[in-house]
Amino acid sequence: MKKGQVTIRDIALKLKISISTVSRALRDSPEIKLETRKKVLAMAEKLNYTPNVVAQSLRVNKTKTLGIVVPQLASHFFASNISGIQDTAYSRGYNVMICQSNESFDQEKSDIRTLISSRVDGLLISLSRETSSYEHLDNLIEREIPFVLFDRIHEGLPVSTVTVDDSLGAYKVTKHLIGQGCRRIAFMSGPEEMYISKKRMAGYEKALDEYGMKVQNDLVKHSDLTENCTQILTQELLDLEEMPDAIFAINDPVAIDVMKFLKSRGLKIPADVALVGFTNMPISDALEPSLTTVDQPAYEMGKLAANNLLDQLMNPEDFEPQAIVLDTELIVRKSSQK
Amino acid sequence: MKKGQVTIRDIALKLKISISTVSRALRDSPEIKLETRKKVLAMAEKLNYTPNVVAQSLRVNKTKTLGIVVPQLASHFFASNISGIQDTAYSRGYNVMICQSNESFDQEKSDIRTLISSRVDGLLISLSRETSSYEHLDNLIEREIPFVLFDRIHEGLPVSTVTVDDSLGAYKVTKHLIGQGCRRIAFMSGPEEMYISKKRMAGYEKALDEYGMKVQNDLVKHSDLTENCTQILTQELLDLEEMPDAIFAINDPVAIDVMKFLKSRGLKIPADVALVGFTNMPISDALEPSLTTVDQPAYEMGKLAANNLLDQLMNPEDFEPQAIVLDTELIVRKSSQK
DNA sequence: CTGTTAGCGCATTCAA
DNA sequence: TTGAATGCGCTAACAG
């Protein structure tokens, strides 16, 4: 009894009843005498019994666990996604296992393998910045392992996706900047293949189009999202014959890197260069100047993704993949008001 | 074969050998003919076999999984801790399951229960701000479930702990502020019972003492770490007959809340009030003014905690609990330079 | 209402 | 070197 955890067998032995009766009592089976149930529950309590989920999982071939793969944890956006997922999962009786790809494609594949080994019932995945081939996802589909993509998604797969309207968000940003009188609006994007890069680029382009402006290639940069790379590319923008009068950064962390760099070069924001981000991190209004950005409901995205996946797990037959698209809100602050 | 995942039984059937042979071949048992092993490995590859970790866990009564409980995920500090833990765990063949208590004592207890149910091999815990009784930890000790406490710890338990020298960190801060000429240094602390509150308070007190100053109760506030509470308490500080000339916040997030509030009241930092945080979040130098703070090696803490726990798991007999204390570094920036 | 039995996938003891 | 048998803890028929 000292060694290892208490099992239903221990309870049965103590009570001199069968283990199946104990099992039933514990699971509130309707066909159990109230008295017996009470005895069992009392003894379970007394012995400090905790059900062995591993055994349960093996038995029913379900782990009641969801696997999560995100590019990184130390990002407020993904941490909020995860919170939303977790809260939803818990309230519906599921646990989660979290992996981070560290923005590496290989790590992402390895994470998925690990989670599959652990027999998670389903996966919630946000792709790494490096991911531009998708066999590992096809493989999941082949193996009929349910998963949902969120934020950093890939289109064209028969799976549910949860995103914000990235294109519209970028459109709002660009239009706003044009409205502020900006005419040379740079876009500090992410890796070309990344979903959000493409979508936000599309919105940027659309807004420029509408105002009869054309995308200028030297104003579009593709950062790998590291501070170092962003700095170098920002310098390139400053070195242009005609400097941009605004920079739209693909997300707030990149915007912050740009902001730091511009300040270090003695440039005034927004006077010299207006700046806009995307995500609305909680500190973005504590910056100086406060950062104009696009609010992205990260927690909500997590909830929706998790609920969708869980619905799928509950009801595999009549499940239809959905492309859930959330609205964004442009938050105008000082960094973009000329 | 379509239904469910491939098992060693499937491999055995295909190869017309016994499942124990397959099992052995897969585990590189020395007593297996090379030829047989090759055949098995090839077939496993071909069938896309993934070992069922759940079954393995049940069999060997080990899950190779560590449980993590943190107050919140959407905090750069804890996210970094977790990264350190994860990297270490993975490199030593372990997975992790993460729970957040959302700073709730009840949730913390429930998280631990959940992780125990999942039969994690050990736990890494950082206590919630509400936690001021420790039976749930005693219970773990009774049940001989190994765990390590980090950052938000409780002393006096026969378990390893990983912290920074909170007291010394706070001492450095306070001394620095005194050196800047501050004489009314307020301490915006956290909940009284919280470990870091007590330790940082001690350092604050020690520095004041050394300079012949006494702790003034009206200059010490205990925030519950929410923005709202911090704002109210900051207002109280401003309402004092004699306003403080410096505020030392228990951590960077609280410092940022204070900063926002001071700015909203038109106060100049550091001219009117100097401000210092603790943690060194990556954005703290992008704030205006850049925030003086204490660098806390979060990733490193995670690594040390995980390594300690894993050592314990490998070698349960001759394991001695350790109190690992890391150094901190005061990062002086503009918010405190009068 | 309760007990008996079988089996989830795997590792391992004992035989051969 | 391999196979047969056992059991990890639990749930779910099937029988009473």
Side-chain angles (χ1 to χ4, degrees), chain B residues 10-241:
Chain B
D10 298 318
I11 300 178
L13 249 40
K14 286 268 186 198
L15 257 31
K16 294 201 185 37
I17 57 178
S18 78
I19 62 167
S20 29
T21 303
V22 176
S23 173
R24 279 188 277 251
L26 256 17
R27 332 203 72 244
D28 274 347
S29 164
E31 38 174 26
I32 281 282
K33 219 193 329 185
L34 181 62
E35 193 192 340
T36 329
R37 167 154 58 237
K38 276 191 179 165
K39 272 201 313 201
V40 171
L41 260 32
M43 183 57 74
E45 178 75 44
K46 184 178 160 207
L47 297 182
N48 212 344
Y49 168 78
T50 328
N52 187 329
V53 174
V54 175
Q56 286 176 327
S57 299
L58 180 61
R59 181 63 179 76
V60 302
N61 199 28
K62 291 218 159 34
T63 52
K64 291 272 199 171
T65 301
L66 305 181
I68 304 178
V69 183
V70 290
Q72 55 170 319
L73 272 175
S75 136
H76 193 272
F77 176 72
F78 289 117
S80 303
N81 276 316
I82 292 173
S83 284
I85 294 171
Q86 271 192 337
D87 290 353
T88 306
Y90 287 174
S91 73
R92 294 180 65 170
Y94 277 73
N95 281 317
V96 304
M97 285 190 74
I98 304 167
C99 291
Q100 51 185 336
S101 62
N102 287 320
E103 299 282 14
S104 146
F105 179 51
D106 288 334
Q107 184 65 47
E108 176 176 300
K109 286 190 289 190
S110 151
D111 285 346
I112 292 177
R113 273 195 90 78
T114 303
L115 292 169
I116 298 302
S117 284
S118 295
R119 292 301 190 269
V120 294
D121 294 341
L123 291 162
L124 296 137
I125 305 173
S126 197
L127 300 170
S128 88
R129 68 159 185 244
E130 286 180 9
T131 304
S132 62
S133 99
Y134 308 93
E135 288 96 29
H136 56 317
L137 302 183
D138 293 335
N139 183 256
L140 288 176
I141 294 170
E142 257 169 48
R143 298 168 72 162
E144 301 184 31
I145 297 169
F147 68 102
V148 169
L149 295 171
F150 64 97
D151 191 54
R152 307 259 202 99
I153 71 168
H154 175 59
E155 291 179 299
L157 258 29
V159 302
S160 289
T161 55
V162 180
T163 55
V164 292
D165 193 332
D166 290 284
S167 179
L168 181 58
Y171 172 82
K172 289 180 194 167
V173 168
T174 313
K175 201 171 152 184
H176 161 70
L177 286 170
I178 295 171
Q180 294 296 311
C182 302
R183 288 300 173 266
R184 289 183 58 74
I185 303 170
F187 180 32
M188 179 65 68
S189 184
E192 287 206 60
E193 277 310 306
M194 209 167 63
Y195 175 83
I196 59 174
S197 298
K198 289 190 281 193
K199 287 295 175 178
R200 294 177 193 175
M201 180 73 193
Y204 166 74
E205 203 163 343
K206 180 168 175 242
L208 292 184
D209 262 9
E210 271 184 22
Y211 286 82
M213 298 154 78
K214 276 227 298 267
V215 173
Q216 283 180 250
N217 287 331
D218 54 0
L219 287 180
V220 175
K221 299 290 180 184
H222 293 280
S223 168
D224 65 6
L225 309 181
T226 62
E227 173 160 15
N228 188 37
C229 180
T230 299
Q231 285 179 343
I232 293 170
L233 296 175
T234 307
Q235 181 66 61
E236 286 182 18
L237 289 174
L238 300 186
D239 288 344
L240 289 176
E241 232 164 283

